[in-house]
């Protein structure tokens, strides 16, 4: 297996900087859109292991990527809790039954991941067989705070009125929600690793909207418990875990001290600065602004070089975007980026 991605996460020497791209299987690829159309809707695509496996592998057929990430969605856990998830093109996620009261939180079940989310495990096992050791496979989940934002708001939000209201006015209820989600996310990631995921990532998309005390209490501490739960299980304790808080640049030292193996960075944070702040405690993943992929090939190459130089010499860098790739990107720009990262870092 080409293991430079796993080696980088463990801060071991590599022959060149590994690269993969968040949302690398997605709408910017015409072959993905074709499979999505055949599936009928996004959730059916996610819940059909053969199709999820197929679209997971599609980017690797085009680009020389160093890892695959299982095709799924961050909202699988609240969907399995029975909140009535729908995902409509151009509308974002919606929950038919948002959680707004302590009583509703108390009734939330701990997800039986083997029963309710087995379609994800099937897709992982199938993808591992199809990869046949070519590159590692990444499993993932949304963070408890990020899942809670959707569950309480009922969908996407700009103000986070309901979930922040819950957090401020009924903190005990908010903590109970985080506890329940922490248990389910831990179970879910453990099951993914057991099924064959060789690395795990927690996407904390909305942690950056919190004030620092609230971030620590409601976002970071649940992620720390997830890492502790995984590291305490001998069956999965050696699986590298990456934590990524979008907008979390103020709290890099706190995240790095969580026990995770790698820290994801968005494009607002300098890799050199991050490296000086966290030392050799964790590997760093990131952090090209996704909109650079709309620019010319020369600009894409120049930005790839700039980020490699920003990290500098030494081990522990996984090249990625600072967030997910946008649907309108030309796939050839992705090829340019991946090839440039490998070529320039090998020097």
């Amino acid at each position: 297996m080409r293991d430079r991605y796993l080696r980088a996460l463990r801060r071991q020497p590599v022959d060149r900087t590994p690269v993969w791209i968040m949302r690398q299987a997605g709408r910017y690829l015409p072959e993905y859109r074709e499979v999505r159309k055949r599936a009928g809707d996004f959730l059916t695509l996610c819940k059909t292991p053969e199709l999820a496996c197929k679209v997971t592998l599609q980017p690797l057929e085009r680009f020389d990527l160093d890892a695959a990430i299982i095709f799924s969605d961050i909202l699988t856990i609240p969907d399995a809790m029975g909140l009535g998830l729908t995902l409509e093109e151009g509308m974002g996620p919606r929950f038919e039954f948002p959680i707004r009261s302590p009583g509703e939180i108390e009734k939330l079940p701990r997800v039986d991941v083997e029963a309710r989310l087995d379609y994800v495990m099937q897709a992982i096992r199938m993808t591992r067989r199809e990869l046949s050791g070519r590159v590692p496979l990444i499993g993932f989940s949304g963070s408890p705070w990020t899942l809670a934002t959707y569950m309480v708001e009922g969908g996407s939000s700009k103000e986070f009125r309901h979930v922040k209201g819950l957090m401020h006015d009924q903190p005990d209820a908010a903590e109970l929600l985080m506890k329940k989600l922490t248990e389910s996310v831990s179970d879910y990631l453990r099951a993914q690793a057991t099924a064959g995921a060789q690395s795990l990532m927690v996407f904390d998309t909305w942690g950056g909207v919190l004030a620092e005390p609230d971030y620590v209490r409601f976002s970071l501490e649940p992620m720390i418990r997830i890492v502790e739960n995984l590291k305490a299980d001998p069956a999965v304790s050696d699986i590298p875990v990456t934590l990524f808080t979008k907008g979390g640049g103020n709290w890099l030292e706190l995240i790095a001290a969580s026990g995770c193996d790698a820290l994801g960075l968005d494009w607002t944070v300098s890799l050199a600065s991050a490296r000086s702040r966290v030392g050799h405690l964790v590997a760093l993943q990131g952090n090209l602004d996704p909109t650079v992929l709309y620019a010319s090939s020369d600009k894409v190459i120049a930005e790839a070089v700039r980020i490699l130089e920003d990290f500098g010499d030494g081990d522990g860098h996984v090249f990625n975007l600072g967030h997910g790739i946008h649907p309108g990107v030309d796939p050839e720009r992705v090829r340019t980026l991946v090839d440039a990262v490998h070529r320039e870092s090998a020097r």
Side-chain angles (χ1 to χ4, degrees), residues 92-301:
R94 293 287 182 273
F95 284 108
E96 184 179 358
F97 308 109
I99 299 298
R100 296 278 169 82
S101 71
E104 291 169 331
I105 291 171
E106 289 172 3
K107 292 177 183 176
L108 284 173
R110 182 168 180 165
V111 175
D112 183 343
V113 296
E114 296 292 352
R116 298 300 307 276
L117 296 172
D118 184 57
Y119 61 88
V120 178
M121 313 317 155
Q122 289 185 49
I124 288 173
R125 288 189 286 268
M126 197 175 297
T127 304
R128 277 296 303 272
R129 288 195 297 270
E130 292 295 322
L131 282 170
S132 190
R134 181 176 169 187
V135 294
L137 178 63
I138 305 167
F140 71 92
S141 174
S143 72
W145 168 255
T146 292
L147 299 184
T149 64
Y150 290 101
M151 294 166 67
V152 177
E153 296 296 327
S156 302
S157 177
K158 292 182 178 179
E159 297 177 348
F160 303 94
R161 168 189 170 191
H162 297 292
V163 72
K164 285 193 173 186
L166 179 75
M167 178 187 74
H168 291 306
D169 287 337
Q170 301 180 82
D172 290 345
E175 285 213 339
L176 178 60
L177 178 56
M178 295 305 118
K179 181 177 183 294
K180 285 175 173 276
L181 288 169
T182 296
E183 291 171 346
S184 290
V185 170
S186 298
D187 292 345
Y188 184 42
L189 291 173
R190 186 182 297 110
Q192 290 185 50
T194 302
Q198 294 150 288
S199 170
L200 298 169
M201 184 162 175
V202 179
F203 288 94
D204 185 32
T205 308
W206 297 119
V209 305
L210 292 168
E212 182 170 313
D214 300 322
Y215 173 74
V216 171
R217 182 176 180 182
F218 295 103
S219 182
L220 180 59
E221 288 185 359
M223 290 194 290
I224 290 173
R225 288 193 289 273
I226 290 165
V227 173
E228 290 173 345
N229 291 340
L230 294 170
K231 297 300 182 182
D233 186 340
V236 301
S237 59
D238 63 337
I239 303 294
V241 179
T242 301
L243 300 184
F244 170 60
T245 293
K246 185 183 178 189
N250 287 334
W251 310 310
L252 299 186
E253 295 89 345
L254 297 176
I255 305 169
S258 67
C260 68
D261 300 278
L263 183 59
L265 304 174
D266 65 24
W267 61 91
T268 64
V269 182
S270 160
L271 280 167
S273 171
R275 199 175 177 191
S276 69
R277 289 166 61 186
V278 303
H280 299 288
L281 196 60
V282 291
L284 297 177
Q285 177 181 284
N287 63 340
L288 180 72
D289 182 343
T291 62
V292 170
L293 292 173
Y294 288 129
S296 66
S297 294
D298 288 346
K299 178 63 174 178
V300 170
I301 293 168

Side-chain angles (χ1 to χ4, degrees), residues 33-54:
R33 294 196 297 270
E34 183 180 324
V35 176
R36 164 84 175 259
K37 184 177 180 181
R38 194 164 81 232
D41 62 80
F42 180 82
L43 278 179
T44 299
L45 179 53
C46 287
K47 294 182 178 183
T48 307
E50 295 80 6
L51 297 182
C53 171
K54 185 178 183 66

